Amino acid sequence: MTEAQLKDLLTQMTTEEKVGQLLQLATPFFKGASDRGEITGPMENMNINEEDIKHTGSVLGASGARETINIQKTHLEENRLGIPLLFMSDIIHGFKTIFPVPLAIGCSWDIELAEKSAAVAAKEAAASGVHVTFAPMVDLSRDPRWGRVMESTGEDPHLNSQFARAFVRGFQGDLDNDAHKVASCVKHFAAYGAPEGGRDYNTVDMSEWMLRENYLPAYKAALEEGCEMVMTAFNILNGIPATGNESLMRGILREEWGFDGVLISDWGAVKELIPHGVAEDQKQAAELALKAGVDIEMMTSCYTNHVQELIEEGSLEESTLDEGVLRILQLKNKLGLFDNPHRFASEEDEKKYILSPEHRRASRELAAKSIVLLKNEDVLPLNAEKKVALVGPFASNTDILGPWSWGGSAEDTVTVETGLNQQLKDLAVAKGTDLRDGNEEDLKAALQTAEQADVVVVALGEHSDWSGEAGCLADIRLPEVQLDLLKKMKQLGKPVVAVLFNGRPLDLREVTEHADAVVEAWYPGTEGGNAVADILLGKVNPSAKLSMSMPYSVGQVPVYYNSYSTGRPKDAPDAQERYVSQYLDIPNEPLFPFGYGLSYSQFEYGELQLSADRMTKEDTLTVTVDVTNVSDIPGEEVVQLYVRDNVGQVVRPTKELKDFRKVALQPGHTETVTFQITEPQLRYYHANMEHTSDPGEFTVFVGTNSQDVKAKRFRLE
Ligand code: GLC
């Protein structure tokens, strides 16, 4: 349809039909549905009728070619103007071929493979009739108590922005020309990752300076990459719930950034303006959200039941309703739904693409590149000829897909046991304990199994319900029974390798104390067992680096690398004994810092070379460093470039990631790694919110993680 035809269609619509386009309902409401689809929020009495359902604009949580074709066909038989439904679902890190959780993908620092993972997810989802995915989630996360850190790519605005762009490219590509793509929807706007206490949905309160410097960049990057939709966040931001926050939505998102796409509420977030205490009733909630520019109300019916009345009484302009409806019609048109309402839905293509060997290979490759080697005292890689005992609650556990794993299933998942069995001659397995409860019999069996082995692999972790939405924990250590199993294995006097399956950074002090090697596998997805085996046997040399700090203890939280010096930094040359910024009982530094990850290779960094010790705003400063693989094992190293603005108008982080390079190095080989620094990379938000740079002294750092770096100074003229 042309723009004129869309606008003509809008004029033919009754107010009721227009309001219907603003409603999104979950699958069970639709006649053509044969199952409940994915229910991802509270279901309650919506007070809607058959007519409302006929006018509905979009479906939440449906998938399957046959299912979506049936729902669409039934709907179009009843929708007076033949306006097709949009099918939207949470395809976050895979459709049925599940990839590692985004936090793990963040640790891969592999932008290309991240994009590929989204393209695979889009292909499977599009063949199953999905039109829009509620991804990428780009909420910057500094608090591992929050369950949804697993859904983010971590604590750094630059790295998160790179991944946001990659996911949008992978999911969405060029919708006008590329087949098997889905529209992406960046979420949750804004700053959902900063709830007080790490408790989901809790209060978010921060300065505009902190919001713009750290929390907004990744949403903006997704939109610059062409992301079609935005989803509102549940939380308040500086006193006003995001979903009714006009200055955030119309001010920043639409006017300042020029976003004119569809803005959807999160599940029930329009009606939640009432418990938030900014709306007296559903009518006021509808008015606030629509005036804030929220086009689609997900799974509540404030708009359905009150917009017409608000217009008739003059509280709401019909033009406000029309602009939202037109954006939804434009998105349907862009997806080609007026020409082909079933788009790429095809049972034949489902059989061809879903869980194909190619897709499994892609998942296995990215999983191996997302697994972080945290400790290795000459235990890894394992010798395939050795007798290995695999113990722990994750030894044969299929719960390694993580939250938001859409159509992923246990029968499709490769466990650690299966993965190791395929690569080892002699593997014995014993659970040893459940996740939170153990018994003497299981423990005894595990000890007996381990006593026969040369090396013990202990697979520990969190149930996937312990993270994800509303999955928050105040205690981020592993359960005692699991730590106890590890200690008892270590007491046998054999090499012990701990492999972790978890959705958040944990307090790993006891794990690192009682294991000779520690491998952080996060939730590695459908091919997780094979990827873990590839790493443990050295088929893949680990190259992942933490994209979120691993705290020393929960008492440090929030702990992040790009923090500020304070007026009494503990590491100042003239630091006093007592009166400095410190804890009396623990260090300031995390157990493992942002950017940290070991390899089976050893890399040595030469001295930093700068093309000059000063630059003008027009110049490019070239930074070079030689990196040598001094081991006899080929490997990949993520070389990281950080910058510090030594004096700013507002305080500046002690380090900020500005660039990185993943280099593959053969044994004995030296690579001269080059970075370019330009003036735009040195800009920051001043007190007046201008985003500019200042002349002055800077420090550039290059290294293998955010702490272990080489430094040189330069001046911006
Ligand atoms: C959930 C989540 C959101 C998801 C939506 C639809 O509450 O917060 O991320 O996209 O509902 O499932």
Side-chain angles (χ1 to χ4, degrees):
M1 274 192 173
T2 64
E3 192 64 9
Q5 287 171 319
L6 287 176
K7 286 179 176 164
D8 178 54
L9 173 59
L10 184 63
T11 62
Q12 296 172 49
M13 294 169 75
T14 65
T15 303
E16 212 179 358
E17 287 169 330
K18 291 178 188 175
V19 172
Q21 288 300 307
L22 310 187
L23 175 60
Q24 179 169 102
L25 294 173
T27 313
F29 287 90
F30 293 91
K31 283 186 186 147
S34 60
D35 66 32
R36 284 171 55 79
E38 292 289 326
I39 302 299
T40 56
M43 292 279 277
E44 55 180 87
N45 170 29
M46 301 266 289
N47 185 26
I48 55 176
N49 57 39
E50 285 303 312
E51 271 309 290
D52 297 325
I53 295 172
K54 281 183 197 167
H55 302 325
T56 303
S58 57
V59 186
L60 165 60
S63 64
R66 182 182 307 199
E67 177 77 352
T68 53
I69 288 170
N70 285 347
I71 294 173
Q72 187 76 285
K73 202 182 295 177
T74 311
H75 180 79
L76 289 174
E77 285 160 4
E78 299 189 332
N79 183 280
R80 181 177 72 90
L81 291 167
I83 300 174
L85 289 164
L86 270 168
F87 289 96
M88 304 192 190
S89 295
D90 294 278
I91 316 302
I92 311 294
H93 55 107
F95 179 73
K96 284 194 187 288
T97 305
I98 303 302
F99 286 81
V101 289
L103 184 58
I105 295 176
C107 295
S108 75
W109 296 54
D110 197 318
I111 301 304
E112 235 175 83
L113 285 185
E115 179 175 337
K116 185 174 178 184
S117 72
V120 167
K123 193 162 194 173
E124 294 188 358
S128 292
V130 175
H131 302 151
V132 178
T133 182
F134 292 132
M137 184 275 213
V138 301
D139 303 313
L140 186 129
S141 308
R142 290 172 163 172
D143 189 333
R145 293 171 295 181
W146 188 47
R148 298 190 79 163
V149 295
M150 48 59 59
E151 207 177 336
S152 78
T153 48
E155 70 188 44
D156 180 71
H158 175 73
L159 191 59
N160 288 352
S161 299
Q162 300 300 306
F163 279 113
R165 292 176 185 278
F167 288 135
V168 169
R169 288 194 301 270
F171 283 126
Q172 196 171 286
D174 171 357
L175 286 176
D176 297 330
N177 300 301
D178 296 348
H180 294 105
K181 293 293 184 184
V182 294
S184 51
C185 174
V186 65
K187 66 186 184 183
H188 304 79
F189 198 66
Y192 178 40
E196 284 180 0
R199 182 159 49 90
D200 210 351
Y201 319 126
N202 203 8
T203 300
V204 172
D205 188 26
M206 64 176 71
S207 64
E208 187 178 353
W209 161 70
M210 176 59 74
L211 177 72
R212 286 181 178 276
E213 197 66 67
N214 290 293
Y215 288 85
L216 291 187
Y219 303 110
K220 191 173 182 197
L223 296 176
E224 286 171 351
E225 207 65 31
C227 185
E228 288 291 339
M229 283 183 63
V230 176
M231 183 186 292
T232 70
F234 285 120
N235 53 279
I236 67 170
L237 190 57
N238 304 329
I240 302 175
T243 306
N245 193 319
E246 204 164 328
S247 66
L248 179 65
M249 298 303 175
R250 285 205 188 274
I252 295 178
L253 182 62
R254 293 202 186 277
E255 284 152 26
E256 185 182 326
W257 291 358
F259 175 69
D260 192 29
V262 174
L263 177 60
I264 187 171
S265 81
D266 202 338
W267 185 303
V270 171
K271 188 177 174 185
E272 287 173 11
L273 296 176
I274 300 169
H276 268 301
V278 294
E280 195 174 342
D281 51 26
Q282 292 195 35
K283 179 178 169 186
Q284 191 182 6
E287 182 179 358
L288 280 175
L290 207 55
K291 283 182 175 173
V294 179
D295 301 317
I296 298 179
E297 178 181 7
M298 185 193 292
M299 277 304 287
T300 48
S301 48
C302 304
Y303 286 4
T304 309
N305 294 321
H306 298 287
V307 165
Q308 183 146 2
E309 180 191 349
L310 285 163
I311 291 171
E312 283 160 1
E313 72 184 32
S315 305
L316 203 64
E317 296 297 327
E318 177 120 25
S319 59
T320 306
L321 169 62
D322 288 352
E323 71 171 62
V325 177
L326 184 58
R327 284 193 281 258
I328 295 164
L329 297 179
Q330 287 166 335
L331 179 57
K332 293 183 178 185
N333 196 41
K334 181 153 195 172
L335 289 162
L337 296 179
F338 288 105
D339 301 327
N340 171 10
H342 305 307
R343 208 158 169 269
F344 297 110
S346 153
E347 291 186 82
E348 188 188 337
D349 284 348
E350 284 181 308
K351 292 189 186 78
K352 195 160 69 174
Y353 299 138
I354 288 178
L355 285 162
S356 67
E358 181 199 348
H359 287 182
R360 278 185 175 270
R361 276 195 301 276
S363 178
R364 177 171 180 168
E365 181 185 14
L366 183 49
K369 289 186 182 278
S370 305
I371 293 173
V372 189
L373 180 60
L374 296 174
K375 178 182 181 183
N376 184 24
E377 289 180 356
D378 297 329
V379 178
L380 295 176
L382 299 177
N383 177 332
E385 304 299 316
K386 295 281 187 184
K387 293 177 70 155
V388 176
L390 171 63
V391 301
F394 276 86
S396 320
N397 196 330
T398 55
D399 184 25
I400 57 173
L401 303 181
W404 298 110
S405 291
W406 200 253
S409 65
E411 59 266 17
D412 299 326
T413 301
V414 179
T415 65
V416 179
E417 177 183 5
T418 305
L420 283 176
N421 256 328
Q422 284 168 7
Q423 299 195 37
L424 285 171
K425 283 194 175 1
D426 186 337
L427 177 72
V429 182
K431 181 175 65 170
T433 178
D434 287 322
L435 287 171
R436 279 206 171 115
D437 315 296
N439 60 62
E440 276 313 307
E441 191 186 336
D442 284 347
L443 179 59
K444 191 163 170 243
L447 287 167
Q448 284 167 349
T449 302
E451 272 155 358
Q452 309 306 315
D454 301 318
V455 61
V456 186
V457 175
V458 190
L460 307 170
E462 296 181 306
H463 190 285
S464 54
D465 286 349
W466 302 352
S467 58
E469 184 171 354
C472 304
L473 290 174
D475 183 350
I476 57 171
R477 292 170 304 150
L478 285 173
E480 278 312 317
V481 286
Q482 295 192 44
L483 295 172
D484 187 49
L485 176 70
L486 178 64
K487 291 171 192 168
K488 288 197 164 58
M489 288 299 149
K490 190 60 198 137
Q491 284 159 6
L492 296 175
K494 300 167 186 284
V496 171
V497 178
V499 184
L500 302 167
F501 298 89
N502 43 293
R504 57 166 50 82
L506 294 171
D507 171 349
L508 294 178
R509 280 176 289 170
E510 291 185 81
V511 173
T512 47
E513 185 186 344
H514 297 289
D516 302 293
V518 180
V519 174
E520 175 54 80
W522 307 110
Y523 290 116
T526 303
E527 285 288 319
N530 281 329
V532 167
D534 290 342
I535 290 286
L536 296 185
L537 275 294
K539 244 171 117 178
V540 174
N541 187 352
S543 61
K545 302 276 187 178
L546 291 175
S547 63
M548 190 172 171
S549 304
M550 202 67 91
Y552 184 88
S553 83
V554 74
Q556 272 185 345
V557 169
V559 61
Y560 48 92
Y561 89 93
N562 50 345
S563 55
Y564 302 93
S565 166
T566 79
R568 294 192 174 181
K570 188 178 173 186
D571 55 4
D574 58 352
Q576 307 198 13
E577 184 65 28
R578 166 90 181 191
Y579 300 104
V580 290
S581 182
Q582 66 179 347
Y583 300 101
L584 296 180
D585 55 348
I586 61 170
N588 289 2
E589 294 71 30
L591 191 64
F592 298 107
F594 176 85
Y596 177 90
L598 301 177
S599 166
Y600 296 145
S601 308
Q602 268 71 44
F603 301 109
E604 276 183 6
Y605 284 67
E607 288 311 312
L608 276 194
Q609 306 297 330
L610 302 189
S611 55
D613 61 5
R614 62 194 59 247
M615 63 182 281
T616 67
K617 289 196 170 187
E618 292 67 42
D619 288 341
T620 295
L621 186 74
T622 301
V623 181
T624 54
V625 63
D626 284 350
V627 182
T628 306
N629 180 351
V630 296
S631 75
D632 56 3
I633 304 173
E636 287 184 311
E637 168 71 339
V638 179
V639 182
Q640 299 151 47
L641 174 86
Y642 299 88
V643 169
R644 176 177 187 174
D645 186 345
N646 295 349
V647 178
Q649 186 226 39
V650 297
V651 293
R652 309 286 297 115
T654 53
K655 278 192 195 79
E656 288 181 285
L657 180 73
K658 292 297 179 186
D659 203 348
F660 57 91
R661 221 48 104 259
K662 191 175 235 187
V663 291
L665 291 167
Q666 289 301 318
H669 183 75
T670 294
E671 175 105 9
T672 299
V673 182
T674 300
F675 296 101
Q676 259 81 39
I677 295 177
T678 55
E679 181 270 335
Q681 290 172 288
L682 307 178
R683 295 176 188 167
Y684 66 94
Y685 286 96
H686 289 60
N688 63 1
M689 293 307 127
E690 277 182 22
H691 194 239
T692 56
S693 64
D694 304 329
E697 187 184 70
F698 291 79
T699 305
V700 57
F701 309 86
V702 176
T704 187
N705 64 58
S706 58
Q707 284 180 1
D708 184 0
V709 289
K710 303 221 171 186
K712 270 240 164 105
R713 293 176 183 235
F714 68 93
R715 289 193 69 79
L716 175 66
E717 299 297 317

